Amino acid sequence: MDMILTTIALDETLTDIAWFFLVGVVVVGFLLGAFKLGQRVRAKEPPPPTAESQPHLPDGGAVHEVREERDPVEIPEGGLRPHEMQGYGNFGSTTSSHPEEVRSERESGYKHVQGPHPHVQPGAPPDAGRGAHA
């Protein structure tokens, strides 16, 4: 009786090994087929661009940022509707003839906060950013 049970157990083990081997062969075959398909698709694609076909810097060199100050424009008290704005939001402003004065006037409203507390944004209430126990 023990011999029959041992033979049956050995037979089930060999069957399980055969199934794992068969599934492994199918997976490897699938991966090899996908690899060959990828090679065929890649062969049909155009070659990568050459160095000569890449964009080059203009003759004048790289383009740099231009900073300009705009003259301030008074906005009515009630504000403006979108259709009343001109020039895509810059409201017809012009480049300033004296940019240093415009910049210093604009930056004079900023206050540098001193001390260990967080820095408060310009225009914020006096106690803003000081925490709950200020």
Side-chain angles (χ1 to χ4, degrees), residues 78-123:
L80 293 172
R81 309 283 255 158
H83 67 276
E84 295 172 329
M85 297 182 77
Q86 303 164 0
Y88 298 104
N90 52 8
F91 194 57
S93 64
T94 57
T95 303
S96 177
S97 57
H98 30 60
E100 293 303 321
E101 293 175 21
V102 174
R103 184 178 297 122
S104 64
E105 182 179 332
R106 183 189 70 229
E107 292 175 352
S108 67
Y110 293 109
K111 296 177 184 168
H112 297 286
V113 179
Q114 307 259 335
H117 48 79
H119 297 290
V120 180
Q121 296 295 322

Side-chain angles (χ1 to χ4, degrees), residues 33-46:
F35 180 75
K36 283 306 253 184
L37 178 66
Q39 278 184 330
R40 284 191 212 141
V41 169
R42 182 72 188 251
K44 293 178 184 177
E45 292 178 353

Side-chain angles (χ1 to χ4, degrees), residues 8 13 24-26 33 50 61 67 69-70 77 82 108 125:
I8 292 174
T13 303
V25 167
V26 169
T50 62
R67 286 186 69 169
E69 295 295 328
R70 311 290 288 182
E77 183 67 32
S108 67

